[in-house]
Amino acid sequence: LDAIGSQVWNLCDGKNTVEYVITSLRKEHKLEQKEAEVSTLTYLKQLAEKGLIGFAVTRSKKGEKRK
């Protein structure tokens, strides 16, 4: 893993949202929003396809905004 890959891996602790991971990388590495989103989501997808991570989806109550 490179430095960014290691950082993403360490943030996949079951407590952080995908949005938080993207924001953290964007700020720390001074990336554009789209660049951070595409690269992070691509990497997370690769990890999931290899069975290394999974995603938890929370359901919001009717009329409540998702975070």
Side-chain angles (χ1 to χ4, degrees):
L1 295 174
D2 63 10
I4 295 177
S6 295
Q7 183 178 3
V8 171
W9 177 255
N10 289 329
L11 289 169
C12 291
D13 61 1
K15 298 174 187 172
N16 296 311
T17 64
V18 172
E19 183 179 350
Y20 177 81
V21 174
I22 292 168
T23 300
S24 296
L25 293 174
R26 185 180 58 78
K27 288 179 180 177
E28 186 169 331
H29 299 282
K30 297 177 177 63
L31 302 171
E32 295 293 326
Q33 180 69 27
K34 190 69 172 177
E35 180 182 16
E37 287 174 356
V38 170
S39 59
T40 303
L41 294 174
T42 299
Y43 186 59
L44 291 173
K45 181 180 174 190
Q46 291 172 351
L47 292 175
E49 287 173 347
K50 293 178 181 181
L52 298 172
I53 64 168
F55 297 95
V57 178
T58 58
R59 295 181 185 248
S60 60
K61 294 179 184 175
K62 192 173 184 176
E64 184 179 301
K65 287 183 75 176
R66 266 193 177 175
K67 292 183 180 181

